[in-house]
PDB file of all heavy atoms in Angstrom:
ATOM      1  N   LEU A 151       4.427  17.925 -18.690  1.00  0.00           N
ATOM      2  CA  LEU A 151       3.005  18.198 -18.899  1.00  0.00           C
ATOM      3  C   LEU A 151       2.533  17.705 -20.263  1.00  0.00           C
ATOM      4  O   LEU A 151       1.480  17.083 -20.373  1.00  0.00           O
ATOM      5  CB  LEU A 151       2.738  19.698 -18.760  1.00  0.00           C
ATOM      6  CG  LEU A 151       2.766  20.251 -17.344  1.00  0.00           C
ATOM      7  CD1 LEU A 151       2.674  21.774 -17.369  1.00  0.00           C
ATOM      8  CD2 LEU A 151       1.648  19.657 -16.514  1.00  0.00           C
ATOM      9  N   CYS A 152       3.311  17.995 -21.296  1.00  0.00           N
ATOM     10  CA  CYS A 152       2.918  17.561 -22.642  1.00  0.00           C
ATOM     11  C   CYS A 152       2.877  16.040 -22.753  1.00  0.00           C
ATOM     12  O   CYS A 152       1.961  15.484 -23.357  1.00  0.00           O
ATOM     13  CB  CYS A 152       3.879  18.123 -23.684  1.00  0.00           C
ATOM     14  SG  CYS A 152       3.646  19.861 -23.984  1.00  0.00           S
ATOM     15  N   GLU A 153       3.857  15.391 -22.178  1.00  0.00           N
ATOM     16  CA  GLU A 153       3.901  13.933 -22.241  1.00  0.00           C
ATOM     17  C   GLU A 153       2.685  13.321 -21.548  1.00  0.00           C
ATOM     18  O   GLU A 153       2.125  12.331 -22.010  1.00  0.00           O
ATOM     19  CB  GLU A 153       5.194  13.441 -21.590  1.00  0.00           C
ATOM     20  CG  GLU A 153       5.530  12.021 -21.869  1.00  0.00           C
ATOM     21  CD  GLU A 153       6.887  11.629 -21.309  1.00  0.00           C
ATOM     22  OE1 GLU A 153       7.661  12.502 -20.874  1.00  0.00           O
ATOM     23  OE2 GLU A 153       7.145  10.422 -21.300  1.00  0.00           O
ATOM     24  N   THR A 154       2.244  13.940 -20.458  1.00  0.00           N
ATOM     25  CA  THR A 154       1.066  13.456 -19.746  1.00  0.00           C
ATOM     26  C   THR A 154      -0.207  13.702 -20.548  1.00  0.00           C
ATOM     27  O   THR A 154      -1.056  12.823 -20.653  1.00  0.00           O
ATOM     28  CB  THR A 154       0.944  14.163 -18.379  1.00  0.00           C
ATOM     29  OG1 THR A 154       2.121  13.896 -17.634  1.00  0.00           O
ATOM     30  CG2 THR A 154      -0.254  13.672 -17.606  1.00  0.00           C
ATOM     31  N   VAL A 155      -0.329  14.886 -21.143  1.00  0.00           N
ATOM     32  CA  VAL A 155      -1.575  15.278 -21.793  1.00  0.00           C
ATOM     33  C   VAL A 155      -1.720  14.695 -23.198  1.00  0.00           C
ATOM     34  O   VAL A 155      -2.764  14.134 -23.537  1.00  0.00           O
ATOM     35  CB  VAL A 155      -1.702  16.821 -21.829  1.00  0.00           C
ATOM     36  CG1 VAL A 155      -2.912  17.254 -22.617  1.00  0.00           C
ATOM     37  CG2 VAL A 155      -1.752  17.372 -20.418  1.00  0.00           C
ATOM     38  N   ILE A 156      -0.674  14.815 -24.038  1.00  0.00           N
ATOM     39  CA  ILE A 156      -0.834  14.398 -25.442  1.00  0.00           C
ATOM     40  C   ILE A 156      -0.042  13.153 -25.811  1.00  0.00           C
ATOM     41  O   ILE A 156      -0.145  12.685 -26.939  1.00  0.00           O
ATOM     42  CB  ILE A 156      -0.484  15.552 -26.414  1.00  0.00           C
ATOM     43  CG1 ILE A 156       0.986  15.954 -26.318  1.00  0.00           C
ATOM     44  CG2 ILE A 156      -1.386  16.728 -26.202  1.00  0.00           C
ATOM     45  CD1 ILE A 156       1.403  17.008 -27.339  1.00  0.00           C
ATOM     46  N   GLY A 157       0.773  12.637 -24.915  1.00  0.00           N
ATOM     47  CA  GLY A 157       1.508  11.408 -25.194  1.00  0.00           C
ATOM     48  C   GLY A 157       2.926  11.671 -25.675  1.00  0.00           C
ATOM     49  O   GLY A 157       3.295  12.787 -26.032  1.00  0.00           O
ATOM     50  N   LYS A 158       3.705  10.596 -25.692  1.00  0.00           N
ATOM     51  CA  LYS A 158       5.131  10.694 -26.028  1.00  0.00           C
ATOM     52  C   LYS A 158       5.380  11.086 -27.479  1.00  0.00           C
ATOM     53  O   LYS A 158       6.165  11.981 -27.767  1.00  0.00           O
ATOM     54  CB  LYS A 158       5.819   9.367 -25.733  1.00  0.00           C
ATOM     55  CG  LYS A 158       5.909   9.012 -24.278  1.00  0.00           C
ATOM     56  CD  LYS A 158       6.544   7.650 -24.118  1.00  0.00           C
ATOM     57  CE  LYS A 158       6.574   7.087 -22.740  1.00  0.00           C
ATOM     58  NZ  LYS A 158       6.325   7.891 -21.618  1.00  0.00           N
ATOM     59  N   LYS A 160       3.416  12.503 -29.818  1.00  0.00           N
ATOM     60  CA  LYS A 160       2.973  13.855 -30.176  1.00  0.00           C
ATOM     61  C   LYS A 160       3.847  14.917 -29.524  1.00  0.00           C
ATOM     62  O   LYS A 160       4.112  15.955 -30.117  1.00  0.00           O
ATOM     63  CB  LYS A 160       1.520  14.060 -29.786  1.00  0.00           C
ATOM     64  CG  LYS A 160       0.552  13.342 -30.700  1.00  0.00           C
ATOM     65  CD  LYS A 160      -0.875  13.639 -30.307  1.00  0.00           C
ATOM     66  CE  LYS A 160      -1.835  12.881 -31.196  1.00  0.00           C
ATOM     67  NZ  LYS A 160      -3.230  13.065 -30.768  1.00  0.00           N
ATOM     68  N   THR A 161       4.308  14.655 -28.299  1.00  0.00           N
ATOM     69  CA  THR A 161       5.201  15.607 -27.634  1.00  0.00           C
ATOM     70  C   THR A 161       6.486  15.774 -28.431  1.00  0.00           C
ATOM     71  O   THR A 161       6.963  16.891 -28.629  1.00  0.00           O
ATOM     72  CB  THR A 161       5.519  15.135 -26.205  1.00  0.00           C
ATOM     73  OG1 THR A 161       4.315  15.081 -25.460  1.00  0.00           O
ATOM     74  CG2 THR A 161       6.493  16.067 -25.515  1.00  0.00           C
ATOM     75  N   VAL A 164       5.604  17.706 -31.725  1.00  0.00           N
ATOM     76  CA  VAL A 164       5.268  19.109 -31.466  1.00  0.00           C
ATOM     77  C   VAL A 164       6.522  19.904 -31.112  1.00  0.00           C
ATOM     78  O   VAL A 164       6.729  21.015 -31.599  1.00  0.00           O
ATOM     79  CB  VAL A 164       4.203  19.219 -30.353  1.00  0.00           C
ATOM     80  CG1 VAL A 164       4.086  20.634 -29.820  1.00  0.00           C
ATOM     81  CG2 VAL A 164       2.862  18.743 -30.868  1.00  0.00           C
TER      82      VAL A 164
END
Side-chain angles (χ1 to χ4, degrees):
L151 286 172
C152 286
E153 194 175 349
T154 301
V155 174
I156 64 175
K158 292 177 186 345
K160 286 183 182 175
T161 298
V164 166

